[in-house]
Amino acid sequence: MEEWDLLNENRELTGKTHIRGEKLAPGELHLVVHICIFNEKGKLLIQKRQKDKEGWPNYWDLSAAGSALKGETSLQAAEREVQEELGITIDLSKTRAKFSYHFEAGFDDYWFITQDLELSDLTLQEEEVADARFVTKEELEVLKNAGEFIPYFFLNQVFELKNATSIHF
């Protein structure tokens, strides 16, 4: 049973928790993290979601993503999700989320890092991740145009965001 902390519209803990799978009440918000891992060659690591995964089954996605568990910070959730889904350890202690997007049910924090990494370093979480690969900006565009990638609103800018110090959408 996965339990999440609930937040208010100001991103403050409410003291209440939520069980994954149950419907959120109006005004109940939770935290989701997304991690974009680039290799030293500037390619983005992406993963293909399993065909039976809830929400966007069989689509390509960013490097890793998931909901923060009860008691976790955004940073802790991001590091855990990468470890669970890809079997690698990342250290986000010297960075911060690149941006946060407010969606209907909560807050999406997006983390961007560069790490020297090979596909052979990965151990994919069988229940959630079907495949992983590195892509260039052009290869990502092909997947997006084919309707095979989750349609994030900033997908056209993901490579530019990697080095951006300020963000304008």
Side-chain angles (χ1 to χ4, degrees), residues 106-122:
F107 304 91
D108 276 332
D109 282 356
Y110 290 86
W111 295 82
F112 284 61
I113 64 165
T114 298
Q115 185 162 323
D116 192 20
L117 188 58
E118 299 292 333
L119 289 177
S120 59
D121 297 332
L122 305 179

Side-chain angles (χ1 to χ4, degrees), residues 114-144:
T114 298
Q115 185 162 323
D116 192 20
L117 188 58
E118 299 292 333
L119 289 177
S120 59
D121 297 332
L122 305 179
T123 303
L124 304 182
Q125 183 182 26
E126 200 172 300
E127 307 82 46
E128 294 196 24
V129 183
D131 197 5
R133 66 189 257 208
F134 285 100
V135 292
T136 62
K137 181 178 183 176
E138 295 75 22
E139 291 166 331
L140 181 63
E141 184 75 16
V142 169
L143 290 170
K144 183 190 85 143

Side-chain angles (χ1 to χ4, degrees), residues 73-111:
T73 64
S74 176
L75 183 148
Q76 291 167 331
E79 290 179 344
R80 176 187 50 79
E81 285 292 345
V82 169
Q83 179 65 50
E84 286 178 3
E85 294 181 6
L86 304 175
I88 58 171
T89 300
I90 62 169
D91 179 7
L92 297 173
S93 65
K94 292 183 175 38
T95 189
R96 62 183 186 160
K98 183 69 79 169
F99 66 93
S100 185
Y101 177 76
H102 302 192
F103 69 103
E104 185 180 341
F107 304 91
D108 276 332
D109 282 356
Y110 290 86
W111 295 82

